[in-house]
Structures are given as structure tokens and as C-alpha cells.
Amino acid sequence: MSQERNESVPHMKSEEFRQLGHQMVDWIADYWARMESYPVRAKVAPGEVLSKLPPHAPEQGLGGVEGWDAVFKDLESVVMPGVTHWQSPSFFAYFPANASGPSVLGELLSAGLGVQGMLWSTGPSCTELETRVLDWLAELIGLPESFRSMSPAGGGVIQGTASEATLVAMVAARSRVRRQRPGDAPLVAYSSTQAHSSVLKAAMLSGVARGASDTAHVRLLETDGGYALRPELLERAITEDLAAGRQPFFVCATLGTTSSGAMDPLGPTSEVMKRTGLTDMGGWLHVDAAWAGSALICPENQGLAAGIENVDSIAFDPHKWMLTNFDCDAFYTRDRAALVEALSVTPEYLRNAASASGSVIDYRDWQVELGRRFRALKLWFVVRHYGVNGLRAYIREHVRLAALFESWVREDTRFELAVPRSLSLVCFRLAPRPGEAPEATDARNRALLDKLNATGSAFLSHTVLPGVGGKPARFVLRMAIGAPSTQETHVRACWEALQKLTGE
Ligand SMILES: *Cc1c(COP(=O)(O)O)cnc(C)c1O
């Protein structure tokens, strides 16, 4: 940067950045080594972190490297007590949110380059590295050629999140269906009751739904006993809506539901769309595989996506279970033209020769935002560092550990599986005692979860699975294995803690 800088602007000098950068990398490496010394879930009360922070911004800056000592001190005393340790080997809540050495280095490099990759011309490497790495990943998870950027009509792009992916798929679907079926018939989207809340949110954002309880425009269909979408109910709903003059346009199937890891059947779902005429109308089938998509890098799991050749788009989050820190969602479609048609607006100040030539990809036309970070770097580093074999071994180890946990639950008569294990997710609970009311069983399970989480030795979360076939809904514990450093000892320790807290 310029030598003749204004001395009243205290930029960090290159040597200072180097020194503090090394110190920060050391700090992170030390943190990863001592992570187990913290309670997994933060123990602060609401407002506690806030109360340790001054109400006004400092007038004077830190004044160089020594001043930064105060920042490192505050990290320990202000920030760390309020951190929940998602990278802890005993973090089993929600779904994982992976970070890894190579991905953090990629994130750092992206920040250092500070590239704004909205157009090819504002970041050729940012664009083309993303194209290539996403094609690698498409091949890895077994997507047909038609989803790859090197195919005539398809392609992949990094979105921030699975929620954004669902939103862009939905607006692409709307524009395709409206083009093929002009008019203003009310649009209707479909998923199961177990689909992620982001489906409803996408409908709210896009104006398809009037609000979170608008079940006329977003139909959430009951599931089967395994919590998967029932194609025959989808068929009935689509047929009814068509007969009533409404316009079905979007179906979201989930591979690996957030509550219980259920897998919607893709083949039968796309068959329903064909049979009802929805496919011919331009209707769109999106697959939300946010968590489970990473497991498809193992060939033995690819059967879960049978029928994938007939879906319109699929998205999964390497930031969940593929060692790439948040945010990084891989989104693929077989119809990139529909996406661009729905999302492209070109003001004069963005016009350029490369875009006009049509020979480049401008990823801003594939997403909500204009600006975009160089996120392909972290994905590229992760895939290169681990290699395909390393990534597969990673997924397989978590699945093995979950199978082990599942076997322990089966052996202990005080517990039961709520549903069969899905990949590395085990939903289980304390079994009902003879004659016990459902609410009482739920209360015992809630108490067990609270007690375990209060110990700080592990962190699990819960869900409520709806009752199917007249049975009551159930409060269940979710054991989601997927932190990078989790080993058998951590899973065993968690199980032993659960057993101990359960008593006789
Ligand atoms: C986690 C999850 C999401 C949301 O993921 P984001 O990337 O945070 O938007 C969506 N769908 C499913 C099935 C999920 O498990």
C-alpha cells in the first residue's frame, strides 16, 4: 500500500500484520488443542457478554502490536465464556458445522485477497475455480453429467446456505412455470411436514405465501411412519390444486430431514410430477440435502439419491459435514437458464465485454446478492488436503460411530430408538414405562437432556417427532455425530454420562 499515507490513519503495518497474524493462527491452533477444557455449551446468561462490553466505540485505536494484548485478553475474558464449542469433539447437537485447518486457511486467503467476485470480469479466478471445484464435487456425490457446468444446460454455484439455495430454486421455478403457463393462478409449493423451515421462509420471501401459516400456498404433507414424504399424498394434493384452478410449481424433497434424517423418495416424487402433468408445466423438483448430501461422496450412500437424474436442483452444505467452515452451500441445477432468467438484472455500471460475449459465467445471476466472496478457495483447499479418500474416510468414521451408539441404545432396555439411525444421526429416548402418560415420558426425556447439557461434558439437542397413525407425538434426543475431532472415546463418554444420569 502507499508509502505516503496519511499518518492520522493508523493502518496496521505489514510487519505488525505478520506478527499478529502468526499470533492469531497460534491462538486458533491452541484453541483447537484445549477445546475439551470448556463446557461444550456456553454457560452465560442473556446479556452477560453484552454487559462486559463498553457502550461506546473507542476514540483512540490500539496503537500497534502491544495494544493488541488487550484484544487477546478480552478474547479470553469476554468472548470465550459466551462461546458454544461447535468444533468440540463432544458437540452432538443440531447438525455439525465443520471447520478444518485447510478451510480456515482458505477463508483467511479469501479475506486477504478481498476479491469481489460478482462478475467474471471482477474475479476471473474466483469464478473459474468455483466452476471447476463444483464440478469435482458433482462427480464425487454422483450427480449425472446434466448438473455440471461443463454440460449444455446445467451447473453448480456456491450459495451461502441451504436456505438461500431453496429460495433461488423457488424463484427459478416460479419464472419457468409462469413462462410456460402465463396467468395469475395462485402458486402452490409442496413439501412434507418434516421439510426444513427454510422452505416456508422462501415462500414467504418470494411472496408465494402470505405468512408462516399460509398452508393454502405451501402445502406441508403428512409423512409415512419413517417421516418421509408420501408420494400418493403429493399426487392427491397436486391433482386437487390443479382442479381448483391453482398452479402447482415447486416441490421440495428432503434428503436427510433436520429432525430425524428421513429420506424422501426422489424417484417416486418425480414420477408423481410427471403423472400429474406438473413436469410438463415446468414444475420444479428441488432436493434439500443440506446435511446428508456430504455422505453421498461415499458410493455406498448414493442409493439414497436414486432418481436424482429427474430432479431440477439439489443443494448440500459442505459447511455442515464436509470440513468447510460456514458459509458454503453447493447448489446444482440442470436448468441454469431458468435461474438466470429469474435473477438477472443488469444496470449500466455492470456492463462489460466479457459478460456481453456470453462466454463467461457471472455468478451474481445465480444468487440473491450481487457481491460474493472467494469461497471456492476453502473448498478447493479442503478437497485437495483430504483427497477423495480422506473425505470418504471422514464420513465413514462418523457413520461407524453412530452405528455403535445405536447398538448401545438397542442394548439398554431403559432406552429406545425413536427411528432407525440415519447415517450419523441417532434419534433416541428413554422408553415409556408401563402405563406412563406420553407427557410424563417426554418430561423425563427433557430432564435427562437438560441434566446432560448442564454438565458441560457434551451437548445434544432435541426434536419432537409428530405422531403417525394415531400415536402421540414424541420428544426425542438427537445424537448427531459429525465434529471433525470426534472419536469413539467421546461418543462412549457421552453414552456413559446418559446412562449414569438415568439411574435405575
Ligand atoms: C440445516 C438445514 C437447512 C438450513 O441450512 P442453512 O445452510 O443454515 O440454511 C436446510 N435444510 C435442512 C434439511 C437442514 O438440515
Side-chain angles (χ1 to χ4, degrees):
M1 293 189 186
S2 164
Q3 295 299 306
E4 299 141 68
R5 52 174 58 183
N6 183 337
E7 288 305 323
S8 66
V9 182
H11 289 294
M12 186 177 280
K13 295 184 183 63
S14 175
E15 275 313 311
E16 292 174 335
F17 175 72
R18 195 182 300 278
Q19 187 182 332
L20 289 166
H22 289 158
Q23 202 176 326
M24 189 61 82
V25 170
D26 283 344
W27 191 94
I28 296 169
D30 289 341
Y31 167 64
W32 285 346
R34 72 192 157 106
M35 208 151 34
E36 287 183 66
S37 64
Y38 291 98
V40 183
R41 188 180 62 175
K43 288 193 159 172
V44 291
E48 200 171 317
V49 179
L50 200 57
S51 71
K52 291 186 196 163
L53 292 162
H56 305 289
E59 290 289 336
Q60 285 299 325
L62 294 168
V65 171
E66 300 73 42
W68 272 75
D69 285 349
V71 174
F72 281 98
K73 279 206 190 86
D74 287 349
L75 264 184
E76 297 299 342
S77 61
V78 180
V79 178
M80 294 312 286
V83 169
T84 288
H85 301 278
W86 283 73
Q87 304 310 314
S88 164
S90 299
F91 184 100
F92 304 115
Y94 312 109
F95 278 136
N98 284 181
S100 69
S103 88
V104 170
L105 293 177
E107 189 72 62
L108 182 62
L109 179 57
S110 166
L113 292 174
V115 163
Q116 242 302 350
M118 54 202 178
L119 302 166
W120 177 88
S121 65
T122 66
S125 290
C126 178
T127 301
E128 294 185 16
L129 184 66
E130 184 161 327
T131 304
R132 183 61 85 208
V133 174
L134 283 184
D135 269 6
W136 284 0
L137 218 50
E139 186 173 33
L140 268 186
I141 64 169
L143 291 186
E145 278 294 326
S146 51
F147 287 92
R148 310 209 188 144
S149 296
M150 295 302 133
S151 73
V157 60
I158 299 178
Q159 305 283 350
T161 62
S163 306
E164 284 170 50
T166 299
L167 176 62
V168 299
M170 193 179 282
V171 297
R174 174 172 62 185
S175 94
R176 190 167 80 180
V177 169
R178 284 294 198 214
R179 175 159 37 80
Q180 296 191 28
R181 305 261 295 183
D184 54 8
L187 294 167
V188 189
Y190 307 82
S191 71
S192 85
T193 56
Q194 297 299 294
H196 192 261
S197 55
S198 51
V199 177
L200 191 51
K201 193 162 179 175
M204 289 159 69
L205 284 167
S206 60
V208 166
R210 310 255 141 79
S213 52
D214 181 357
T215 50
H217 299 97
V218 181
R219 297 191 57 168
L220 303 179
L221 306 166
E222 296 224 334
T223 63
D224 63 19
Y227 300 100
L229 182 77
R230 290 173 57 188
E232 73 279 14
L233 293 191
L234 176 66
E235 181 151 9
R236 198 185 304 160
I238 292 174
T239 308
E240 265 172 30
D241 285 327
L242 284 170
R246 293 183 282 264
Q247 181 60 65
F249 80 110
F250 181 79
V251 179
C252 182
T254 310
L255 279 187
T257 58
T258 316
S259 268
S260 67
M263 306 283 172
D264 291 344
L266 305 186
T269 302
S270 69
E271 281 304 316
V272 163
M273 293 174 69
K274 274 192 204 142
R275 241 190 340 265
T276 53
L278 183 49
T279 303
D280 286 339
M281 296 172 192
W284 190 288
L285 176 53
H286 175 66
V287 178
D288 177 359
W291 160 71
S294 294
L296 300 179
I297 61 182
C298 300
E300 69 270 25
N301 297 327
Q302 289 178 358
L304 296 171
I308 191 73
E309 61 281 2
N310 290 320
V311 315
D312 295 280
S313 55
I314 176 170
F316 79 100
D317 287 343
H319 70 224
K320 278 191 171 160
W321 196 14
M322 215 191 83
L323 294 157
T324 309
N325 65 286
F326 191 86
D327 54 354
C328 185
D329 171 89
F331 173 85
Y332 295 94
T333 177
R334 287 193 298 133
D335 186 0
R336 63 179 182 244
L339 199 62
V340 172
E341 180 184 67
L343 295 168
S344 182
V345 202
T346 305
E348 182 54 36
Y349 48 80
L350 293 179
R351 290 191 193 280
N352 67 88
S355 297
S357 75
S359 60
V360 300
I361 296 177
D362 292 328
Y363 281 127
R364 58 151 197 164
D365 293 333
W366 299 45
Q367 64 175 22
V368 173
E369 308 90 330
L370 171 64
R372 59 201 326 271
R373 297 186 298 117
F374 201 160
R375 283 178 296 215
L377 284 171
K378 61 186 173 187
L379 203 48
W380 191 42
F381 285 4
V382 165
V383 178
R384 291 184 69 178
H385 176 88
Y386 288 91
V388 175
N389 290 335
L391 293 174
R392 288 186 179 139
Y394 178 69
I395 296 287
R396 283 174 183 148
E397 174 62 1
H398 289 154
V399 172
R400 182 187 78 83
L401 294 176
L404 201 55
F405 187 86
E406 178 191 36
S407 73
W408 297 334
V409 173
R410 280 187 199 280
E411 282 162 18
D412 188 327
T413 54
R414 294 168 299 177
F415 290 86
E416 67 179 15
L417 288 172
V419 285
R421 174 181 57 83
S422 173
L423 298 166
S424 62
L425 174 66
V426 182
C427 290
F428 67 104
R429 64 171 189 161
L430 291 167
R433 290 171 176 155
E436 188 177 40
E439 304 76 42
T441 314
D442 285 355
R444 283 196 296 122
N445 276 285
R446 202 181 283 272
L448 174 61
L449 180 67
D450 290 345
K451 270 193 262 174
L452 177 77
N453 290 340
T455 68
S457 66
F459 181 25
L460 268 68
S461 58
H462 77 278
T463 192
V464 172
L465 292 174
V468 177
K471 295 194 186 129
R474 294 172 295 168
F475 180 99
V476 310
L477 280 61
R478 294 170 71 267
M479 178 78 177
I481 298 175
S485 56
T486 301
Q487 292 173 7
E488 190 171 322
T489 51
H490 306 105
V491 177
R492 191 178 292 276
C494 178
W495 174 241
E496 286 170 359
L498 282 163
Q499 286 184 309
K500 193 158 156 240
L501 291 168
T502 297
E504 286 317 307

